[in-house]
PDB file of all heavy atoms in Angstrom:
ATOM      1  N   MET A   1     121.913 103.696 110.085  1.00  0.00           N
ATOM      2  CA  MET A   1     121.438 104.139 108.803  1.00  0.00           C
ATOM      3  C   MET A   1     121.212 105.638 108.925  1.00  0.00           C
ATOM      4  O   MET A   1     120.229 106.120 109.431  1.00  0.00           O
ATOM      5  CB  MET A   1     120.115 103.415 108.503  1.00  0.00           C
ATOM      6  CG  MET A   1     119.726 103.510 107.055  1.00  0.00           C
ATOM      7  SD  MET A   1     118.592 102.152 106.831  1.00  0.00           S
ATOM      8  CE  MET A   1     117.409 102.901 105.832  1.00  0.00           C
ATOM      9  N   GLY A   2     122.142 106.396 108.407  1.00  0.00           N
ATOM     10  CA  GLY A   2     122.094 107.850 108.520  1.00  0.00           C
ATOM     11  C   GLY A   2     121.165 108.462 107.479  1.00  0.00           C
ATOM     12  O   GLY A   2     121.159 108.023 106.327  1.00  0.00           O
ATOM     13  N   GLY A   3     120.387 109.420 107.863  1.00  0.00           N
ATOM     14  CA  GLY A   3     119.476 110.071 106.945  1.00  0.00           C
ATOM     15  C   GLY A   3     120.197 111.181 106.204  1.00  0.00           C
ATOM     16  O   GLY A   3     121.162 111.760 106.711  1.00  0.00           O
ATOM     17  N   THR A   4     119.757 111.471 105.018  1.00  0.00           N
ATOM     18  CA  THR A   4     120.325 112.564 104.231  1.00  0.00           C
ATOM     19  C   THR A   4     119.284 113.626 104.030  1.00  0.00           C
ATOM     20  O   THR A   4     118.095 113.372 104.213  1.00  0.00           O
ATOM     21  CB  THR A   4     120.877 112.106 102.880  1.00  0.00           C
ATOM     22  OG1 THR A   4     119.794 111.634 102.073  1.00  0.00           O
ATOM     23  CG2 THR A   4     121.904 110.960 103.057  1.00  0.00           C
ATOM     24  N   ALA A   5     119.700 114.776 103.594  1.00  0.00           N
ATOM     25  CA  ALA A   5     118.732 115.830 103.271  1.00  0.00           C
ATOM     26  C   ALA A   5     117.783 115.445 102.194  1.00  0.00           C
ATOM     27  O   ALA A   5     116.582 115.742 102.229  1.00  0.00           O
ATOM     28  CB  ALA A   5     119.461 117.115 102.894  1.00  0.00           C
ATOM     29  N   ALA A   6     118.250 114.675 101.229  1.00  0.00           N
ATOM     30  CA  ALA A   6     117.412 114.188 100.120  1.00  0.00           C
ATOM     31  C   ALA A   6     116.283 113.293 100.645  1.00  0.00           C
ATOM     32  O   ALA A   6     115.172 113.343 100.171  1.00  0.00           O
ATOM     33  CB  ALA A   6     118.227 113.462  99.055  1.00  0.00           C
ATOM     34  N   GLU A   7     116.606 112.422 101.607  1.00  0.00           N
ATOM     35  CA  GLU A   7     115.594 111.563 102.173  1.00  0.00           C
ATOM     36  C   GLU A   7     114.500 112.358 102.898  1.00  0.00           C
ATOM     37  O   GLU A   7     113.323 112.054 102.824  1.00  0.00           O
ATOM     38  CB  GLU A   7     116.232 110.563 103.161  1.00  0.00           C
ATOM     39  CG  GLU A   7     117.050 109.479 102.465  1.00  0.00           C
ATOM     40  CD  GLU A   7     117.683 108.588 103.454  1.00  0.00           C
ATOM     41  OE1 GLU A   7     118.517 109.066 104.266  1.00  0.00           O
ATOM     42  OE2 GLU A   7     117.378 107.369 103.452  1.00  0.00           O
ATOM     43  N   ALA A   8     114.891 113.412 103.587  1.00  0.00           N
ATOM     44  CA  ALA A   8     113.949 114.216 104.360  1.00  0.00           C
ATOM     45  C   ALA A   8     113.000 114.977 103.446  1.00  0.00           C
ATOM     46  O   ALA A   8     111.914 115.338 103.888  1.00  0.00           O
ATOM     47  CB  ALA A   8     114.701 115.169 105.241  1.00  0.00           C
ATOM     48  N   ASP A   9     113.388 115.220 102.204  1.00  0.00           N
ATOM     49  CA  ASP A   9     112.566 116.034 101.306  1.00  0.00           C
ATOM     50  C   ASP A   9     111.631 115.213 100.460  1.00  0.00           C
ATOM     51  O   ASP A   9     110.928 115.771  99.603  1.00  0.00           O
ATOM     52  CB  ASP A   9     113.484 116.886 100.403  1.00  0.00           C
ATOM     53  CG  ASP A   9     114.208 117.931 101.170  1.00  0.00           C
ATOM     54  OD1 ASP A   9     113.749 118.312 102.276  1.00  0.00           O
ATOM     55  OD2 ASP A   9     115.275 118.417 100.725  1.00  0.00           O
ATOM     56  N   ARG A  10     111.594 113.950 100.600  1.00  0.00           N
ATOM     57  CA  ARG A  10     110.706 113.131  99.786  1.00  0.00           C
ATOM     58  C   ARG A  10     109.243 113.301 100.183  1.00  0.00           C
ATOM     59  O   ARG A  10     108.939 113.510 101.351  1.00  0.00           O
ATOM     60  CB  ARG A  10     111.090 111.649  99.896  1.00  0.00           C
ATOM     61  CG  ARG A  10     112.395 111.374  99.253  1.00  0.00           C
ATOM     62  CD  ARG A  10     112.751 109.933  99.332  1.00  0.00           C
ATOM     63  NE  ARG A  10     114.057 109.721  98.774  1.00  0.00           N
ATOM     64  CZ  ARG A  10     114.844 108.691  99.057  1.00  0.00           C
ATOM     65  NH1 ARG A  10     114.414 107.747  99.884  1.00  0.00           N
ATOM     66  NH2 ARG A  10     116.019 108.584  98.529  1.00  0.00           N
ATOM     67  N   THR A  11     108.360 113.211  99.222  1.00  0.00           N
ATOM     68  CA  THR A  11     106.968 113.414  99.470  1.00  0.00           C
ATOM     69  C   THR A  11     106.143 112.241  98.908  1.00  0.00           C
ATOM     70  O   THR A  11     106.469 111.742  97.839  1.00  0.00           O
ATOM     71  CB  THR A  11     106.456 114.710  98.744  1.00  0.00           C
ATOM     72  OG1 THR A  11     107.213 115.808  99.214  1.00  0.00           O
ATOM     73  CG2 THR A  11     104.954 114.948  98.987  1.00  0.00           C
ATOM     74  N   LEU A  12     105.161 111.815  99.683  1.00  0.00           N
ATOM     75  CA  LEU A  12     104.289 110.742  99.222  1.00  0.00           C
ATOM     76  C   LEU A  12     102.841 111.222  99.378  1.00  0.00           C
ATOM     77  O   LEU A  12     102.470 111.708 100.470  1.00  0.00           O
ATOM     78  CB  LEU A  12     104.485 109.501 100.148  1.00  0.00           C
ATOM     79  CG  LEU A  12     103.523 108.353  99.903  1.00  0.00           C
ATOM     80  CD1 LEU A  12     103.796 107.716  98.507  1.00  0.00           C
ATOM     81  CD2 LEU A  12     103.667 107.308 100.988  1.00  0.00           C
ATOM     82  N   PHE A  13     102.104 111.151  98.330  1.00  0.00           N
ATOM     83  CA  PHE A  13     100.706 111.561  98.332  1.00  0.00           C
ATOM     84  C   PHE A  13      99.839 110.337  98.537  1.00  0.00           C
ATOM     85  O   PHE A  13      99.992 109.338  97.861  1.00  0.00           O
ATOM     86  CB  PHE A  13     100.320 112.275  97.050  1.00  0.00           C
ATOM     87  CG  PHE A  13     101.034 113.598  96.892  1.00  0.00           C
ATOM     88  CD1 PHE A  13     102.211 113.695  96.184  1.00  0.00           C
ATOM     89  CD2 PHE A  13     100.500 114.713  97.512  1.00  0.00           C
ATOM     90  CE1 PHE A  13     102.869 114.897  96.046  1.00  0.00           C
ATOM     91  CE2 PHE A  13     101.164 115.952  97.389  1.00  0.00           C
ATOM     92  CZ  PHE A  13     102.344 116.017  96.641  1.00  0.00           C
ATOM     93  N   VAL A  14      98.890 110.427  99.437  1.00  0.00           N
ATOM     94  CA  VAL A  14      97.959 109.333  99.741  1.00  0.00           C
ATOM     95  C   VAL A  14      96.559 109.847  99.589  1.00  0.00           C
ATOM     96  O   VAL A  14      96.216 110.879 100.136  1.00  0.00           O
ATOM     97  CB  VAL A  14      98.183 108.794 101.189  1.00  0.00           C
ATOM     98  CG1 VAL A  14      97.252 107.677 101.503  1.00  0.00           C
ATOM     99  CG2 VAL A  14      99.638 108.410 101.426  1.00  0.00           C
ATOM    100  N   GLY A  15      95.762 109.127  98.815  1.00  0.00           N
ATOM    101  CA  GLY A  15      94.415 109.569  98.571  1.00  0.00           C
ATOM    102  C   GLY A  15      93.359 108.538  98.903  1.00  0.00           C
ATOM    103  O   GLY A  15      93.680 107.457  99.365  1.00  0.00           O
ATOM    104  N   ASN A  16      92.120 108.903  98.711  1.00  0.00           N
ATOM    105  CA  ASN A  16      90.955 108.012  98.949  1.00  0.00           C
ATOM    106  C   ASN A  16      90.872 107.539 100.397  1.00  0.00           C
ATOM    107  O   ASN A  16      90.546 106.408 100.666  1.00  0.00           O
ATOM    108  CB  ASN A  16      90.981 106.830  97.979  1.00  0.00           C
ATOM    109  CG  ASN A  16      90.719 107.234  96.559  1.00  0.00           C
ATOM    110  OD1 ASN A  16      90.024 108.211  96.288  1.00  0.00           O
ATOM    111  ND2 ASN A  16      91.313 106.551  95.652  1.00  0.00           N
ATOM    112  N   LEU A  17      91.199 108.392 101.329  1.00  0.00           N
ATOM    113  CA  LEU A  17      91.130 108.062 102.707  1.00  0.00           C
ATOM    114  C   LEU A  17      89.768 108.424 103.301  1.00  0.00           C
ATOM    115  O   LEU A  17      89.118 109.384 102.856  1.00  0.00           O
ATOM    116  CB  LEU A  17      92.213 108.817 103.513  1.00  0.00           C
ATOM    117  CG  LEU A  17      93.648 108.524 103.126  1.00  0.00           C
ATOM    118  CD1 LEU A  17      94.603 109.446 103.842  1.00  0.00           C
ATOM    119  CD2 LEU A  17      93.978 107.036 103.382  1.00  0.00           C
ATOM    120  N   ASP A  18      89.361 107.689 104.264  1.00  0.00           N
ATOM    121  CA  ASP A  18      88.118 107.973 104.989  1.00  0.00           C
ATOM    122  C   ASP A  18      88.273 109.336 105.642  1.00  0.00           C
ATOM    123  O   ASP A  18      89.349 109.642 106.168  1.00  0.00           O
ATOM    124  CB  ASP A  18      87.867 106.884 106.014  1.00  0.00           C
ATOM    125  CG  ASP A  18      86.558 107.010 106.679  1.00  0.00           C
ATOM    126  OD1 ASP A  18      86.364 107.920 107.519  1.00  0.00           O
ATOM    127  OD2 ASP A  18      85.656 106.175 106.405  1.00  0.00           O
ATOM    128  N   PRO A  19      87.238 110.146 105.671  1.00  0.00           N
ATOM    129  CA  PRO A  19      87.332 111.427 106.338  1.00  0.00           C
ATOM    130  C   PRO A  19      87.745 111.384 107.808  1.00  0.00           C
ATOM    131  O   PRO A  19      88.221 112.355 108.354  1.00  0.00           O
ATOM    132  CB  PRO A  19      85.929 112.038 106.176  1.00  0.00           C
ATOM    133  CG  PRO A  19      85.318 111.302 105.019  1.00  0.00           C
ATOM    134  CD  PRO A  19      85.951 109.947 105.026  1.00  0.00           C
ATOM    135  N   LYS A  20      87.534 110.231 108.409  1.00  0.00           N
ATOM    136  CA  LYS A  20      87.885 110.089 109.843  1.00  0.00           C
ATOM    137  C   LYS A  20      89.372 109.912 110.051  1.00  0.00           C
ATOM    138  O   LYS A  20      89.825 109.998 111.196  1.00  0.00           O
ATOM    139  CB  LYS A  20      87.117 108.869 110.440  1.00  0.00           C
ATOM    140  CG  LYS A  20      85.643 109.020 110.441  1.00  0.00           C
ATOM    141  CD  LYS A  20      84.996 107.763 110.968  1.00  0.00           C
ATOM    142  CE  LYS A  20      83.516 107.746 110.635  1.00  0.00           C
ATOM    143  NZ  LYS A  20      82.934 106.411 110.852  1.00  0.00           N
ATOM    144  N   VAL A  21      90.114 109.622 109.011  1.00  0.00           N
ATOM    145  CA  VAL A  21      91.567 109.395 109.124  1.00  0.00           C
ATOM    146  C   VAL A  21      92.219 110.778 109.409  1.00  0.00           C
ATOM    147  O   VAL A  21      92.063 111.705 108.654  1.00  0.00           O
ATOM    148  CB  VAL A  21      92.152 108.786 107.845  1.00  0.00           C
ATOM    149  CG1 VAL A  21      93.668 108.671 107.925  1.00  0.00           C
ATOM    150  CG2 VAL A  21      91.524 107.410 107.589  1.00  0.00           C
ATOM    151  N   THR A  22      93.030 110.781 110.455  1.00  0.00           N
ATOM    152  CA  THR A  22      93.697 112.035 110.835  1.00  0.00           C
ATOM    153  C   THR A  22      95.141 112.010 110.386  1.00  0.00           C
ATOM    154  O   THR A  22      95.715 110.952 110.078  1.00  0.00           O
ATOM    155  CB  THR A  22      93.669 112.215 112.361  1.00  0.00           C
ATOM    156  OG1 THR A  22      94.426 111.126 112.976  1.00  0.00           O
ATOM    157  CG2 THR A  22      92.244 112.225 112.929  1.00  0.00           C
ATOM    158  N   GLU A  23      95.752 113.191 110.356  1.00  0.00           N
ATOM    159  CA  GLU A  23      97.167 113.295 110.046  1.00  0.00           C
ATOM    160  C   GLU A  23      98.002 112.523 111.047  1.00  0.00           C
ATOM    161  O   GLU A  23      99.016 111.875 110.682  1.00  0.00           O
ATOM    162  CB  GLU A  23      97.573 114.779 110.024  1.00  0.00           C
ATOM    163  CG  GLU A  23      99.006 114.960 109.625  1.00  0.00           C
ATOM    164  CD  GLU A  23      99.409 116.445 109.533  1.00  0.00           C
ATOM    165  OE1 GLU A  23      98.509 117.315 109.572  1.00  0.00           O
ATOM    166  OE2 GLU A  23     100.605 116.693 109.390  1.00  0.00           O
ATOM    167  N   GLU A  24      97.592 112.532 112.302  1.00  0.00           N
ATOM    168  CA  GLU A  24      98.313 111.825 113.337  1.00  0.00           C
ATOM    169  C   GLU A  24      98.327 110.313 113.101  1.00  0.00           C
ATOM    170  O   GLU A  24      99.312 109.615 113.283  1.00  0.00           O
ATOM    171  CB  GLU A  24      97.744 112.127 114.719  1.00  0.00           C
ATOM    172  CG  GLU A  24      97.944 113.532 115.190  1.00  0.00           C
ATOM    173  CD  GLU A  24      96.949 114.533 114.606  1.00  0.00           C
ATOM    174  OE1 GLU A  24      95.878 114.107 114.096  1.00  0.00           O
ATOM    175  OE2 GLU A  24      97.236 115.758 114.665  1.00  0.00           O
ATOM    176  N   LEU A  25      97.189 109.766 112.639  1.00  0.00           N
ATOM    177  CA  LEU A  25      97.058 108.366 112.351  1.00  0.00           C
ATOM    178  C   LEU A  25      97.961 107.982 111.183  1.00  0.00           C
ATOM    179  O   LEU A  25      98.705 107.002 111.251  1.00  0.00           O
ATOM    180  CB  LEU A  25      95.607 107.964 112.050  1.00  0.00           C
ATOM    181  CG  LEU A  25      95.367 106.513 111.660  1.00  0.00           C
ATOM    182  CD1 LEU A  25      95.837 105.562 112.695  1.00  0.00           C
ATOM    183  CD2 LEU A  25      93.952 106.284 111.284  1.00  0.00           C
ATOM    184  N   ILE A  26      97.981 108.767 110.142  1.00  0.00           N
ATOM    185  CA  ILE A  26      98.842 108.505 108.974  1.00  0.00           C
ATOM    186  C   ILE A  26     100.292 108.563 109.392  1.00  0.00           C
ATOM    187  O   ILE A  26     101.074 107.699 109.038  1.00  0.00           O
ATOM    188  CB  ILE A  26      98.544 109.525 107.859  1.00  0.00           C
ATOM    189  CG1 ILE A  26      97.121 109.324 107.323  1.00  0.00           C
ATOM    190  CG2 ILE A  26      99.581 109.371 106.757  1.00  0.00           C
ATOM    191  CD1 ILE A  26      96.656 110.400 106.369  1.00  0.00           C
ATOM    192  N   PHE A  27     100.667 109.554 110.187  1.00  0.00           N
ATOM    193  CA  PHE A  27     102.056 109.684 110.672  1.00  0.00           C
ATOM    194  C   PHE A  27     102.447 108.427 111.419  1.00  0.00           C
ATOM    195  O   PHE A  27     103.527 107.833 111.202  1.00  0.00           O
ATOM    196  CB  PHE A  27     102.188 110.890 111.538  1.00  0.00           C
ATOM    197  CG  PHE A  27     103.592 111.041 112.094  1.00  0.00           C
ATOM    198  CD1 PHE A  27     104.566 111.656 111.371  1.00  0.00           C
ATOM    199  CD2 PHE A  27     103.872 110.563 113.337  1.00  0.00           C
ATOM    200  CE1 PHE A  27     105.867 111.776 111.891  1.00  0.00           C
ATOM    201  CE2 PHE A  27     105.133 110.642 113.879  1.00  0.00           C
ATOM    202  CZ  PHE A  27     106.157 111.252 113.157  1.00  0.00           C
ATOM    203  N   GLU A  28     101.601 107.977 112.338  1.00  0.00           N
ATOM    204  CA  GLU A  28     101.930 106.799 113.155  1.00  0.00           C
ATOM    205  C   GLU A  28     102.077 105.542 112.314  1.00  0.00           C
ATOM    206  O   GLU A  28     102.989 104.732 112.530  1.00  0.00           O
ATOM    207  CB  GLU A  28     100.874 106.609 114.242  1.00  0.00           C
ATOM    208  CG  GLU A  28     101.133 105.428 115.169  1.00  0.00           C
ATOM    209  CD  GLU A  28     102.459 105.524 115.928  1.00  0.00           C
ATOM    210  OE1 GLU A  28     102.894 106.681 116.263  1.00  0.00           O
ATOM    211  OE2 GLU A  28     103.095 104.482 116.181  1.00  0.00           O
ATOM    212  N   LEU A  29     101.190 105.398 111.338  1.00  0.00           N
ATOM    213  CA  LEU A  29     101.241 104.163 110.493  1.00  0.00           C
ATOM    214  C   LEU A  29     102.508 104.162 109.665  1.00  0.00           C
ATOM    215  O   LEU A  29     103.215 103.153 109.598  1.00  0.00           O
ATOM    216  CB  LEU A  29     100.043 104.108 109.591  1.00  0.00           C
ATOM    217  CG  LEU A  29      98.708 103.797 110.291  1.00  0.00           C
ATOM    218  CD1 LEU A  29      97.529 103.947 109.295  1.00  0.00           C
ATOM    219  CD2 LEU A  29      98.730 102.411 110.880  1.00  0.00           C
ATOM    220  N   PHE A  30     102.850 105.291 109.043  1.00  0.00           N
ATOM    221  CA  PHE A  30     104.081 105.350 108.232  1.00  0.00           C
ATOM    222  C   PHE A  30     105.324 105.261 109.125  1.00  0.00           C
ATOM    223  O   PHE A  30     106.329 104.682 108.679  1.00  0.00           O
ATOM    224  CB  PHE A  30     104.110 106.608 107.363  1.00  0.00           C
ATOM    225  CG  PHE A  30     103.296 106.419 106.102  1.00  0.00           C
ATOM    226  CD1 PHE A  30     101.997 106.877 106.056  1.00  0.00           C
ATOM    227  CD2 PHE A  30     103.803 105.742 105.019  1.00  0.00           C
ATOM    228  CE1 PHE A  30     101.213 106.723 104.907  1.00  0.00           C
ATOM    229  CE2 PHE A  30     103.030 105.561 103.888  1.00  0.00           C
ATOM    230  CZ  PHE A  30     101.746 106.038 103.841  1.00  0.00           C
ATOM    231  N   HIS A  31     105.274 105.780 110.312  1.00  0.00           N
ATOM    232  CA  HIS A  31     106.383 105.666 111.230  1.00  0.00           C
ATOM    233  C   HIS A  31     106.666 104.183 111.548  1.00  0.00           C
ATOM    234  O   HIS A  31     107.842 103.750 111.531  1.00  0.00           O
ATOM    235  CB  HIS A  31     106.110 106.447 112.510  1.00  0.00           C
ATOM    236  CG  HIS A  31     107.175 106.280 113.550  1.00  0.00           C
ATOM    237  ND1 HIS A  31     108.404 106.895 113.428  1.00  0.00           N
ATOM    238  CD2 HIS A  31     107.206 105.580 114.702  1.00  0.00           C
ATOM    239  CE1 HIS A  31     109.151 106.569 114.473  1.00  0.00           C
ATOM    240  NE2 HIS A  31     108.446 105.763 115.251  1.00  0.00           N
ATOM    241  N   GLN A  32     105.649 103.406 111.759  1.00  0.00           N
ATOM    242  CA  GLN A  32     105.781 101.988 112.046  1.00  0.00           C
ATOM    243  C   GLN A  32     106.405 101.270 110.830  1.00  0.00           C
ATOM    244  O   GLN A  32     107.235 100.371 111.008  1.00  0.00           O
ATOM    245  CB  GLN A  32     104.439 101.381 112.429  1.00  0.00           C
ATOM    246  CG  GLN A  32     103.905 101.836 113.735  1.00  0.00           C
ATOM    247  CD  GLN A  32     102.519 101.322 114.014  1.00  0.00           C
ATOM    248  OE1 GLN A  32     102.056 100.371 113.433  1.00  0.00           O
ATOM    249  NE2 GLN A  32     101.847 101.950 114.955  1.00  0.00           N
ATOM    250  N   VAL A  33     105.997 101.668 109.617  1.00  0.00           N
ATOM    251  CA  VAL A  33     106.524 101.023 108.396  1.00  0.00           C
ATOM    252  C   VAL A  33     108.025 101.309 108.286  1.00  0.00           C
ATOM    253  O   VAL A  33     108.821 100.426 107.982  1.00  0.00           O
ATOM    254  CB  VAL A  33     105.778 101.515 107.172  1.00  0.00           C
ATOM    255  CG1 VAL A  33     106.473 101.071 105.887  1.00  0.00           C
ATOM    256  CG2 VAL A  33     104.346 101.014 107.170  1.00  0.00           C
ATOM    257  N   VAL A  34     108.422 102.538 108.543  1.00  0.00           N
ATOM    258  CA  VAL A  34     109.822 102.920 108.435  1.00  0.00           C
ATOM    259  C   VAL A  34     110.670 102.168 109.473  1.00  0.00           C
ATOM    260  O   VAL A  34     111.715 101.670 109.165  1.00  0.00           O
ATOM    261  CB  VAL A  34     109.978 104.452 108.581  1.00  0.00           C
ATOM    262  CG1 VAL A  34     111.457 104.847 108.747  1.00  0.00           C
ATOM    263  CG2 VAL A  34     109.352 105.188 107.392  1.00  0.00           C
ATOM    264  N   VAL A  35     110.173 102.083 110.703  1.00  0.00           N
ATOM    265  CA  VAL A  35     110.894 101.387 111.742  1.00  0.00           C
ATOM    266  C   VAL A  35     111.054  99.880 111.370  1.00  0.00           C
ATOM    267  O   VAL A  35     112.161  99.321 111.443  1.00  0.00           O
ATOM    268  CB  VAL A  35     110.170 101.538 113.095  1.00  0.00           C
ATOM    269  CG1 VAL A  35     110.781 100.575 114.115  1.00  0.00           C
ATOM    270  CG2 VAL A  35     110.276 102.953 113.553  1.00  0.00           C
ATOM    271  N   ALA A  36     110.012  99.279 110.856  1.00  0.00           N
ATOM    272  CA  ALA A  36     110.067  97.869 110.437  1.00  0.00           C
ATOM    273  C   ALA A  36     111.012  97.679 109.294  1.00  0.00           C
ATOM    274  O   ALA A  36     111.793  96.729 109.242  1.00  0.00           O
ATOM    275  CB  ALA A  36     108.663  97.368 110.056  1.00  0.00           C
ATOM    276  N   ALA A  37     111.013  98.576 108.314  1.00  0.00           N
ATOM    277  CA  ALA A  37     111.918  98.480 107.150  1.00  0.00           C
ATOM    278  C   ALA A  37     113.368  98.636 107.604  1.00  0.00           C
ATOM    279  O   ALA A  37     114.226  97.903 107.126  1.00  0.00           O
ATOM    280  CB  ALA A  37     111.557  99.567 106.121  1.00  0.00           C
ATOM    281  N   ARG A  38     113.633  99.536 108.492  1.00  0.00           N
ATOM    282  CA  ARG A  38     115.015  99.698 108.986  1.00  0.00           C
ATOM    283  C   ARG A  38     115.488  98.457 109.742  1.00  0.00           C
ATOM    284  O   ARG A  38     116.584  98.030 109.564  1.00  0.00           O
ATOM    285  CB  ARG A  38     115.115 100.919 109.919  1.00  0.00           C
ATOM    286  CG  ARG A  38     115.040 102.202 109.120  1.00  0.00           C
ATOM    287  CD  ARG A  38     115.232 103.406 110.005  1.00  0.00           C
ATOM    288  NE  ARG A  38     115.215 104.627 109.195  1.00  0.00           N
ATOM    289  CZ  ARG A  38     115.074 105.818 109.679  1.00  0.00           C
ATOM    290  NH1 ARG A  38     114.922 105.999 110.952  1.00  0.00           N
ATOM    291  NH2 ARG A  38     115.084 106.868 108.867  1.00  0.00           N
ATOM    292  N   ARG A  39     114.612  97.868 110.522  1.00  0.00           N
ATOM    293  CA  ARG A  39     114.976  96.647 111.218  1.00  0.00           C
ATOM    294  C   ARG A  39     115.281  95.512 110.225  1.00  0.00           C
ATOM    295  O   ARG A  39     116.221  94.758 110.412  1.00  0.00           O
ATOM    296  CB  ARG A  39     113.857  96.185 112.172  1.00  0.00           C
ATOM    297  CG  ARG A  39     113.763  97.034 113.391  1.00  0.00           C
ATOM    298  CD  ARG A  39     112.724  96.557 114.337  1.00  0.00           C
ATOM    299  NE  ARG A  39     112.584  97.468 115.479  1.00  0.00           N
ATOM    300  CZ  ARG A  39     111.484  97.598 116.158  1.00  0.00           C
ATOM    301  NH1 ARG A  39     110.418  96.947 115.863  1.00  0.00           N
ATOM    302  NH2 ARG A  39     111.483  98.497 117.160  1.00  0.00           N
ATOM    303  N   ALA A  40     114.495  95.444 109.175  1.00  0.00           N
ATOM    304  CA  ALA A  40     114.728  94.396 108.162  1.00  0.00           C
ATOM    305  C   ALA A  40     116.035  94.623 107.467  1.00  0.00           C
ATOM    306  O   ALA A  40     116.774  93.681 107.217  1.00  0.00           O
ATOM    307  CB  ALA A  40     113.567  94.412 107.154  1.00  0.00           C
ATOM    308  N   LEU A  41     116.374  95.875 107.129  1.00  0.00           N
ATOM    309  CA  LEU A  41     117.624  96.167 106.500  1.00  0.00           C
ATOM    310  C   LEU A  41     118.827  95.811 107.404  1.00  0.00           C
ATOM    311  O   LEU A  41     119.841  95.298 106.968  1.00  0.00           O
ATOM    312  CB  LEU A  41     117.688  97.621 106.074  1.00  0.00           C
ATOM    313  CG  LEU A  41     116.797  97.988 104.881  1.00  0.00           C
ATOM    314  CD1 LEU A  41     116.810  99.506 104.665  1.00  0.00           C
ATOM    315  CD2 LEU A  41     117.242  97.264 103.643  1.00  0.00           C
ATOM    316  N   TYR A  42     118.695  96.156 108.650  1.00  0.00           N
ATOM    317  CA  TYR A  42     119.792  95.863 109.639  1.00  0.00           C
ATOM    318  C   TYR A  42     119.943  94.358 109.759  1.00  0.00           C
ATOM    319  O   TYR A  42     121.090  93.897 109.904  1.00  0.00           O
ATOM    320  CB  TYR A  42     119.528  96.479 110.991  1.00  0.00           C
ATOM    321  CG  TYR A  42     119.774  97.987 111.029  1.00  0.00           C
ATOM    322  CD1 TYR A  42     118.853  98.850 111.604  1.00  0.00           C
ATOM    323  CD2 TYR A  42     120.936  98.503 110.481  1.00  0.00           C
ATOM    324  CE1 TYR A  42     119.085 100.208 111.643  1.00  0.00           C
ATOM    325  CE2 TYR A  42     121.186  99.905 110.549  1.00  0.00           C
ATOM    326  CZ  TYR A  42     120.246 100.716 111.095  1.00  0.00           C
ATOM    327  OH  TYR A  42     120.462 102.091 111.179  1.00  0.00           O
ATOM    328  N   SER A  43     118.890  93.593 109.780  1.00  0.00           N
ATOM    329  CA  SER A  43     119.051  92.152 109.929  1.00  0.00           C
ATOM    330  C   SER A  43     119.612  91.484 108.703  1.00  0.00           C
ATOM    331  O   SER A  43     120.291  90.477 108.832  1.00  0.00           O
ATOM    332  CB  SER A  43     117.701  91.513 110.301  1.00  0.00           C
ATOM    333  OG  SER A  43     116.806  91.603 109.239  1.00  0.00           O
ATOM    334  N   VAL A  44     119.383  92.050 107.528  1.00  0.00           N
ATOM    335  CA  VAL A  44     119.947  91.488 106.296  1.00  0.00           C
ATOM    336  C   VAL A  44     121.390  91.918 106.110  1.00  0.00           C
ATOM    337  O   VAL A  44     122.238  91.122 105.726  1.00  0.00           O
ATOM    338  CB  VAL A  44     119.116  91.985 105.056  1.00  0.00           C
ATOM    339  CG1 VAL A  44     119.803  91.600 103.785  1.00  0.00           C
ATOM    340  CG2 VAL A  44     117.710  91.409 105.121  1.00  0.00           C
ATOM    341  N   GLY A  45     121.733  93.184 106.485  1.00  0.00           N
ATOM    342  CA  GLY A  45     123.052  93.721 106.217  1.00  0.00           C
ATOM    343  C   GLY A  45     123.935  93.441 107.347  1.00  0.00           C
ATOM    344  O   GLY A  45     124.884  92.970 107.680  1.00  0.00           O
TER     345      GLY A  45
END
């Protein structure tokens, strides 16, 4: 699944987070979601 420049430029705003939530934690959580979604797409396709 090749990425395009358009995919890299997408932005998602997340609000109402606990002040203890770090940028690193958000990055790791979303990284796991992307990996899982790609695996699901590969298994279907």
Side-chain angles (χ1 to χ4, degrees):
M1 196 158 139
T4 65
E7 288 177 298
D9 292 337
R10 291 183 184 157
T11 302
L12 174 68
F13 292 95
V14 180
N16 293 329
L17 298 173
D18 188 287
K20 297 176 194 168
V21 175
T22 64
E23 183 176 349
E24 292 82 16
L25 177 59
I26 294 170
F27 177 85
E28 182 60 32
L29 291 173
F30 279 98
H31 176 73
Q32 291 174 17
V33 170
V34 169
V35 170
R38 286 183 178 165
R39 286 183 184 151
L41 287 174
Y42 283 133
S43 68
V44 171

